[in-house]
Amino acid sequence: MLFKTSYFIPAFNEERMIRIYLPDTYDQTSAIYPVLYMHDGQNVFDDEGAVGGRSLRLKDYLDRNKVQLIVVAIDSGANRMVEYRLWPPGELSEKLTGRSESLDAKGREYIDFIAKDLKEYIDDTYRTRKESNYMAGISLGGLITTYALCRYPSVFSRGAGISSGFFRNQEELEKFIGLSNLSTIDRLYLDCGTSESSDGRINQAFYDSNERIYRLLKEKLDCIEFNVVENGEHKYESFSDRVEKVMTFLMDEN
């Protein structure tokens, strides 16, 4: 079952669409469920309305496998770069993009909104397992997901970053990871394709960026996976191929 509601996000100063998935059995039981928070909500569940006409097609996977999980997906806006960036662009970002960008960054306020405001609303409205909150995102969504686990390790215990755009805030994120206590994090999945960019220089730098973040996190986490996706591209056709691996990892109870 998929529901849509509008919710005001102070960081963006506007109403934003929130898409909420409930298992088909939700109304038939009194069970409580873990909650997965996701970014780029318009691209999560189905192709209708997805940017570029292609989504993760997560709803098909959840329905087909009868996954006992609530998913809350928040739509991104026209200025996604600013919404999901955590700090002004650093040296690596400017080196790879070849330009100076806006210094605006609203990602930290956005994550605060999810952890403090949206989570309370979801917990009050649905039967949630309040201590079991996960987060997942793609590209810049992977960047802010990793930040969220470092910023709120007592709230988000599991996470996944698909083809994460860490390079946008590489330097500051590395410092933040170094200062973070991640002892309460259960599991973290990261991946990176071998064909993220057609530019070989950027492609290698993108991989190196992901690999460095993985190594820093591996020093602090017992259960972390970094999957190198052969021929994986920075597009939803490739991202959607990883849904099963990501969801299997997140939902593993062993």
Side-chain angles (χ1 to χ4, degrees):
M1 297 182 288
L2 191 60
F3 302 92
K4 299 177 183 178
T5 187
S6 183
Y7 205 100
F8 182 76
I9 302 181
F12 306 151
N13 195 33
E14 66 179 35
E15 297 276 334
R16 195 59 62 81
M17 182 74 74
I18 309 289
R19 303 163 195 260
I20 302 167
Y21 173 90
L22 302 178
D24 287 340
T25 56
Y26 183 87
D27 290 335
Q28 302 167 18
T29 75
S30 58
I32 57 175
Y33 301 87
V35 181
L36 170 62
Y37 293 87
M38 297 189 71
H39 315 291
D40 293 303
Q42 67 272 26
N43 286 4
V44 169
F45 295 112
D46 49 50
D47 293 348
E48 184 179 357
V51 176
R54 179 61 187 262
S55 71
L56 285 178
R57 298 178 177 173
L58 182 61
K59 186 177 185 300
D60 288 345
Y61 175 84
L62 297 173
D63 287 345
R64 184 171 62 252
N65 292 278
K66 302 186 185 306
V67 180
Q68 300 303 292
L69 175 72
I70 294 173
V71 181
V72 178
I74 306 106
D75 279 17
S76 55
N79 204 356
R80 179 177 179 272
M81 180 70 70
V82 170
E83 291 182 2
Y84 287 1
R85 193 163 53 205
L86 299 159
W87 296 275
E91 182 178 340
L92 180 58
S93 179
E94 293 196 7
K95 178 181 177 181
L96 291 185
T97 61
R99 63 181 183 275
S100 296
E101 299 174 331
S102 163
L103 300 182
D104 290 345
K106 298 183 178 179
R108 285 177 290 174
E109 291 83 357
Y110 167 57
I111 292 300
D112 289 347
F113 156 75
I114 297 175
K116 298 177 180 179
D117 186 332
L118 184 59
K119 179 187 179 315
E120 181 178 356
Y121 167 75
I122 295 297
D123 287 343
D124 288 346
T125 307
Y126 302 100
R127 297 194 310 274
T128 64
R129 195 182 303 161
K130 293 180 174 58
E131 73 283 359
S132 297
N133 305 287
Y134 315 150
M135 185 176 284
I138 295 168
S139 193
L140 283 170
L143 165 67
I144 57 175
T145 291
T146 303
Y147 169 84
L149 267 67
C150 293
R151 174 75 174 86
Y152 291 105
S154 62
V155 176
F156 304 107
S157 58
R158 300 186 179 192
I162 300 171
S163 290
S164 299
F166 294 129
F167 75 91
R168 296 288 183 180
N169 284 145
Q170 187 81 24
E171 299 84 358
E172 292 295 334
L173 183 62
E174 288 184 9
K175 294 176 189 176
F176 196 69
I177 291 171
L179 296 172
S180 300
N181 180 351
L182 304 181
S183 59
T184 58
I185 302 300
D186 291 337
R187 321 184 121 245
L188 177 59
Y189 170 97
L190 300 173
D191 72 26
C192 182
T194 61
S195 301
E196 296 283 349
S197 171
S198 58
D199 183 322
R201 178 184 67 92
I202 295 177
N203 194 55
Q204 184 61 49
F206 195 98
Y207 171 82
D208 291 344
S209 164
N210 272 262
E211 199 266 347
R212 180 164 176 78
I213 294 296
Y214 162 69
R215 290 196 176 278
L216 290 173
L217 290 165
K218 187 173 175 56
E219 294 177 3
K220 298 185 171 240
L221 297 175
D222 292 329
C223 188
I224 181 171
E225 177 176 320
F226 181 45
N227 183 33
V228 179
V229 183
E230 194 64 32
N231 299 318
E233 299 178 277
H234 208 77
K235 59 173 67 172
Y236 271 84
E237 287 82 359
S238 180
F239 302 150
S240 62
D241 287 342
R242 310 174 207 175
V243 164
E244 181 173 5
K245 181 179 286 292
V246 171
M247 295 305 300
T248 299
F249 183 88
L250 284 178
M251 297 300 290
D252 192 339
E253 294 301 331
N254 295 326

